[in-house]
Amino acid sequence: MPAILAKKLGMTQRFLDDGRVERVTVLEAGPCPVTAIRTFERDGYEAVQLAFGACREKTLTRAELGHLKKADASAHRHLAEFRDEAGELQVGETVTVDVFEPGQKLKISGISKGKGFQGTIKRHNFASGPKSHGSHNKRAPGSVGASATPSRVFRGIRGPGRMGGKRITQKGLEIVEIIAKDNLLLVRGAVPGHRGTTVEVRTDA
């Protein structure tokens, strides 16, 4: 089950050979050097650690640089572990888009766009109240608890609050095209996060 780190570049469209138009998200995936291998005997779990996003050495701490130099890797901004994805990989190898194939299903994880403080209609898809006849309940959430008993609002009631800015995983995304020379993955559908965000790409078994 291949996995890789990628940067979301934006969305575009591709015209296929049969004339269909595919709306795709463009991901700059890798190359990602393997910086560590976790084993069950030593670490209690199995995983592979990949680095992504080349940067200047002065932007990293000495501890981070030392960890990367152990794997003979240059300075990279992002590190992420993928459990049960090690396979035959070894420290020092590089993962590229060549491990994927067009038509494969992916699940992509990232931080969703932050939308600030929102009401219940936008945050939880509540229905709005009547708009006319003197209604005072156009976008109010409605009753959230009894007054006498229990005289409080139960924990977990869906209400207004901060929306977005959380880690989410989008499943069932399909690879439409791979441009290996530019390290690009073209994926059908929307990918979490804003342009420039780093996402984790896995095959969706």
Side-chain angles (χ1 to χ4, degrees):
M1 295 179 62
I4 201 169
L5 288 168
K7 180 171 72 171
K8 179 179 176 179
L9 299 183
M11 295 194 71
T12 185
Q13 61 184 13
R14 304 291 283 183
F15 291 91
L16 304 185
D17 295 335
D18 58 3
R20 291 186 298 114
V21 179
E22 286 287 2
R23 283 76 177 175
V24 296
T25 301
V26 183
L27 302 177
E28 182 184 351
C32 296
V34 179
T35 53
I37 298 293
R38 308 301 184 194
T39 62
F40 189 82
E41 293 77 13
R42 185 185 63 208
D43 304 293
Y45 65 99
E46 295 183 350
V48 59
Q49 185 185 83
L50 301 181
F52 177 70
C55 63
R56 293 177 296 174
E57 290 191 0
K58 66 185 241 179
T59 62
L60 302 179
T61 65
R62 286 193 293 178
E64 292 169 333
L65 288 173
H67 175 70
L68 292 169
K69 286 180 179 178
K70 285 182 181 179
D72 294 327
S74 59
H76 286 74
R77 190 176 307 278
H78 304 286
L79 294 176
E81 289 187 359
F82 296 88
R83 292 207 176 198
D84 303 321
E85 302 281 358
E88 302 298 326
L89 292 174
Q90 300 294 328
V91 174
E93 295 183 5
T94 301
V95 179
T96 65
V97 293
D98 294 327
V99 299
F100 297 97
E101 298 176 357
Q104 275 186 319
K105 296 290 186 178
L106 302 177
K107 56 181 179 181
I108 300 179
S109 302
I111 304 299
S112 62
K113 291 181 180 179
K115 300 182 183 300
F117 191 96
Q118 299 296 334
T120 53
I121 291 180
K122 181 170 182 177
R123 191 181 188 211
H124 299 297
N125 199 30
F126 278 19
S128 62
K131 299 293 195 299
S132 61
H133 297 286
S135 170
H136 296 285
N137 187 25
K138 292 184 175 62
R139 296 181 70 89
S143 176
V144 293
S147 58
T149 303
S151 299
R152 64 186 177 88
V153 177
F154 284 116
R155 184 188 300 272
I157 293 293
R158 292 178 297 169
R162 185 169 180 263
M163 181 179 177
K166 296 182 179 179
R167 177 184 170 88
I168 62 173
T169 299
Q170 187 71 35
K171 296 183 177 182
L173 302 177
E174 184 179 342
I175 299 177
V176 174
E177 186 179 348
I178 298 175
I179 306 177
K181 64 183 180 67
D182 296 321
N183 301 314
L184 297 180
L185 282 177
L186 274 60
V187 179
R188 177 189 292 122
V191 171
H194 54 77
R195 285 192 296 270
T197 192
T198 301
V199 295
E200 301 171 9
V201 181
R202 301 173 176 85
T203 53
D204 191 5

